[in-house]
Amino acid sequence: MRKCLLLFVVIMTCLVALSQNSSPLMVKDFVQNTTEKVDKEMVPKRNWTDNDNNPVCLIKVKSSGFESALMQKFLFVPNGLEITQMTLENNQWHLYVSSRKIGEITIKHMGDCVFSLPYKLEPGAVYEMTLTMETATLIIRATPEDAEIYVDGDKAGIGFVRVPVSLGVEHRYKVKSADYFPKEGVMVFTEITEKTLDIDLDPNFGWITINTSPEGADVYVDGKRVGVTPYVFEKIRRGNHKIELKKERFATYVGMVSIQNGEQNVDLENITLEVEDISFGFLSLYASPDGADITVDGVFKGKTPQTLELTVGTHDVVLMRTGYNPAKETIEIEEGETKIINVVLSQSRDITITTDKDGDRIFIDGKLSGVSPMTIALPYGNHEVTAVRGGSEDETNLVSILRKDGIKSAKRTIDVMPVGGENILKLKLLGNEVYNVNGVKFKMISVRGGTFTMGASSANDKDVKDDETPQHDIVLSDYYIGEMEVTQALWKAVMGSRKGKFKGDDLPVENVSWDDCIKFIERLNELTGGKFRLPTEAEWEYAARGGEKSIGYRYSGSNTADEVAWYTKTTGDKGTRQVGSKKPNEIGIYDMSGNVREWCHDWYSYYRRVNDPDPKGPEKGDKRVIRGGSWYIEAKSCRVTARSFAKPGERDEFIGVRLASD
C-alpha cells in the first residue's frame, strides 16, 4: 500500500512538472483512451504520417471548468514533433500528432501553457487531454430579491449569486425582474480575485388606490377588469391609464390617471358614483342539464335555472358546463320585457377530415363514415380515423380492405375536446410507389412517421464515437425512401452516362459527389414530375432502424452484420455487390449497413438537442453527412448510429446515394 501511494505522488509530481505556465491554462489530465483507435477516414491520406514518416496518433483536447467556446481562441504550437492536422469539433480540438517522439505542445492563451509529453505516443492511439483554467469569482447581489441574474447568457440564480469566471474574456451579466427596468453590463477579470456588484433595479411601476361610494363597483384598467372597490392596484405600469368604475344602477365613471415610477396616485381615493335613471327588463335562462354557468357581457351571473334583471339594450350571453359545448347568444332586452333562453347543451363538435386526394374512404372507429373531404359531428373523446384508397368500391369492411395488395392508408387518433383541440384532421395516405424511368424501375418504400431516439450511448456500446452522442428524441412526418441504393442503371437512365469504378447495372452507383447527386435528383424530378430529394440524417437513421416496426437491431435489419451488410469481411475488400442481395430490414429496405455509404441532406456537426419536428440539420457548414457502411470498412462503422462526413465536392468508390421524397 505504501509503495502504491509513493508511486501516485511521483506520477502527479511529474505531470505537474510537465506543464509550465505563464497562462491561466493548466493541463488537468492526460490519459490514453484504450478503447479507441485513429479513424483514418477522418484524416486525408497526406496527413497519416509526419515528415519523418512516423504514423500519427490523436490527442482530443477538451475543457473542464470553463466555457468550452473559449477553446476556439486557443493556438497549439508543437516543438520536437509535428501536428499534421487540427480540427475543432463541437468546441473540442482534435490534434493529429507525431508518434514515437518526445516533444512539447505550447497552448497559447493569455501567455503560454507548455505541456511536455510524458512518454512517446503510440502510432494510431487516441489520447485525451483535459484543460482547466484558474478562475476569478463574480458576486452579484440584486434588489428586488426575486430578480433573476444571468451570467454569459445562462441563468445563475435569483437575488444573490457567486459565479466562477474565466480570466481574460468578457463576461456579460444581466439582472431583470417583472415590472422593473433591467440592468446589464460587462466584466473582465485579469487576475484571480473576487468582485462584488450590488445592483438595484429601478421600478417601472407605481401604486393606485381606488375607493367609491357606494362600494362594490367593478374596476376596469385599460379595458380589463381587475377587481371591485375598495381596490389597491400594486405595481401598475408607469404612464397614463384609463380607469372605468361600473356598478348596476349607477352611471359609469371614466377617468385617466398618470403613474410615475415608484409613486402612489391618490386621484381616485374618493369617487362618488351617481345614480343613473336606467330602464330594465328580465332574462330567464334554462339549460339541459341544469347547473350551467351563466356569463352576461363577460361577467359571471350564477348558474341555470335563473332569472336576471338586465338593463335595456343588447347583451352577450354564454352558458357553459364542463364536458359540453358552450351555447352563445346575443339578445335584445326591452323595458319591462321577459326574454327566455332554453338550450340543450351538446357533447359533440364538428370535425373536418381531409386527405391528399378527394374521394378517399373515411372510417371512424372502424365504421365507414363517408369520403374525403367530409365534416362530421363527433362526440367528445378519442376517435380512431382511418383513410383508405384502393380496393373494391363496395367493400366496407376495414380489415378486409387493408389486407389487399396495393392499398394506401393513413391512420390518426383525434381527441375531440369541448374547448380547443383540432377541428380539421389532415391525413396523408402512404403506400409503396414504383417508378419507371426510361425502362429502369425502382421502388420507394413508404415510412410512417413517429418519434424515435436518435444517436447512441457510450454506456451501452463500446464502439460509440463522440459525434453519435447525446441521444435525443426526434419527431418525423411520413415520407418515402428508396428500397435500394441508386443503381448504375438508374443513374445512366437519368443522366445518360454510367458512374462508378465497379461496372454493373445492378451495382450501386459510387464515385459521386453530393453536388453530383443534387444534379441527378433535379434531372430525375424533371423526367418523373416527382419530388425526390436526399434524405435528412434523421430520416436516414429512422428508416435504417426499421421505422415504426423497429426491433432495435445494431445493424439495419439484424444484430449480425454478415446477414445484412456488404462490408470488409463479406467482400474481402474487392468492391461493391448487387443491390438487394442481402436480407432487408424490418420495413423492406436493403443495404443500409453496407455496400456503399450514402449522402444525406444535412451539413455535418455534433448533435444539438432540438425540439422542432423534421429537423434538417445546421443551416451552414463545410461538410455534408454520410451514413451507412461500405464494402471497404469494418462492422463497427456499419452500425445504424455510425456517422461520417465529406465535403460536397468529394468523390470516392465508397460513397453512393439513396433517394427520399415527401
Side-chain angles (χ1 to χ4, degrees), residues 69-86:
L70 187 61
M71 296 273 281
Q72 300 177 24
K73 299 183 179 181
F74 295 174
L75 179 64
F76 297 86
V77 180
N79 181 21
L81 67 158
E82 295 176 37
I83 299 178
T84 67
Q85 177 173 308
M86 289 191 295

Side-chain angles (χ1 to χ4, degrees), residues 450-466:
T451 300
F452 80 105
T453 301
M454 187 171 180
S457 168
S458 56
N460 301 324
D461 189 343
K462 63 181 179 60
D463 293 324
V464 169
K465 295 183 179 180
D466 291 346

Side-chain angles (χ1 to χ4, degrees), residues 512-564:
V512 289
S513 68
W514 189 93
D515 295 330
D516 293 335
C517 295
I518 296 303
K519 293 177 182 177
F520 166 79
I521 290 171
E522 289 173 352
R523 177 61 178 151
L524 177 62
N525 286 334
E526 291 175 2
L527 293 173
T528 62
K531 295 182 179 179
F532 295 102
R533 56 178 174 80
L534 290 176
T536 66
E537 185 175 17
E539 289 173 338
W540 192 98
E541 184 169 320
Y542 182 60
R545 288 174 175 270
E548 65 175 353
K549 298 180 181 179
S550 175
I551 299 175
Y553 290 133
R554 178 179 176 84
Y555 308 102
S556 183
S558 177
N559 283 326
T560 303
D562 290 14
E563 291 184 353
V564 293

Side-chain angles (χ1 to χ4, degrees), residues 147-445:
E148 296 178 343
I149 303 172
Y150 293 80
V151 177
D152 294 329
D154 295 325
K155 186 175 180 180
I158 296 176
F160 176 89
V161 298
R162 179 188 295 270
V163 182
V165 290
S166 305
L167 302 182
V169 294
E170 290 186 346
H171 297 284
R172 297 188 174 275
Y173 64 86
K174 184 175 184 177
V175 181
K176 65 179 184 178
S177 180
D179 302 317
Y180 290 82
F181 292 102
K183 289 185 178 179
E184 55 187 295
V186 176
M187 293 285 290
V188 178
F189 290 80
T190 57
E191 58 183 350
I192 303 173
T193 185
E194 185 174 279
K195 293 183 181 180
T196 301
L197 298 178
D198 289 306
I199 299 177
D200 294 331
L201 299 182
D202 297 324
N204 188 24
F205 59 85
W207 295 266
I208 183 171
T209 301
I210 307 174
N211 293 317
T212 61
S213 179
E215 296 180 347
D218 292 322
V219 180
Y220 291 79
V221 177
D222 298 328
K224 181 180 179 181
R225 185 180 182 276
V226 295
V228 297
T229 59
Y231 183 77
V232 177
F233 198 134
E234 298 179 350
K235 293 186 177 181
I236 183 172
R237 287 273 180 170
R238 67 186 179 95
N240 296 322
H241 298 275
K242 180 182 178 181
I243 307 297
E244 297 174 275
L245 307 175
K246 299 180 181 181
K247 187 174 176 66
E248 286 189 1
R249 301 182 183 277
F250 290 85
T252 298
Y253 172 88
V254 180
M256 298 293 295
V257 296
S258 179
I259 303 298
Q260 304 301 318
N261 289 341
E263 296 181 1
Q264 182 174 6
N265 185 294
V266 296
D267 293 347
L268 301 179
E269 281 196 336
N270 297 291
I271 301 295
T272 300
L273 300 178
E274 297 181 2
V275 177
E276 189 173 27
D277 184 15
I278 303 175
S279 299
F280 292 89
F282 300 91
L283 176 64
S284 296
L285 299 117
Y286 304 89
S288 179
D290 288 341
D293 292 339
I294 303 168
T295 302
V296 179
D297 300 328
V299 179
F300 176 70
K301 296 292 186 179
K303 295 180 179 292
T304 61
Q306 188 175 168
T307 298
L308 302 174
E309 184 182 47
L310 300 178
T311 58
V312 169
T314 301
H315 298 276
D316 293 323
V317 181
V318 181
L319 302 181
M320 293 185 294
R321 182 180 171 88
T322 302
Y324 294 82
N325 290 326
K328 301 178 182 180
E329 191 169 337
T330 299
I331 54 100
E332 185 74 26
I333 296 294
E334 297 180 2
E335 185 175 359
E337 176 194 32
T338 298
K339 283 277 181 74
I340 298 175
I341 293 179
N342 191 351
V343 298
V344 176
L345 299 177
S346 66
Q347 289 183 287
S348 64
R349 277 179 55 203
D350 283 346
I351 303 296
T352 299
I353 303 170
T354 66
T355 65
D356 52 338
K357 182 179 180 182
D358 291 352
D360 295 328
R361 279 164 293 165
I362 306 299
F363 294 80
I364 299 175
D365 299 327
K367 295 182 180 179
L368 180 64
S369 301
V371 297
S372 171
M374 63 175 290
T375 299
I376 187 171
L378 291 181
Y380 298 149
N382 287 309
H383 299 277
E384 187 174 83
V385 180
T386 303
V388 177
R389 183 183 306 159
S392 174
E393 288 299 326
D394 60 358
E395 205 163 8
T396 58
N397 182 277
L398 179 61
V399 176
S400 64
I401 288 178
L402 294 180
R403 285 176 179 168
K404 282 182 170 288
D405 292 335
I407 297 298
K408 289 189 176 184
S409 68
K411 183 183 295 184
R412 278 276 305 278
T413 297
I414 182 171
D415 185 7
V416 181
M417 296 177 287
V419 179
E422 291 182 278
N423 60 4
I424 297 179
L425 186 64
K426 296 182 178 180
L427 297 169
K428 179 179 179 180
L429 276 65
L430 281 184
N432 297 343
E433 299 276 7
V434 176
Y435 294 84
N436 189 322
V437 180
N438 293 329
V440 178
K441 293 182 179 180
F442 65 98
K443 181 185 289 188
M444 299 295 291
I445 300 294

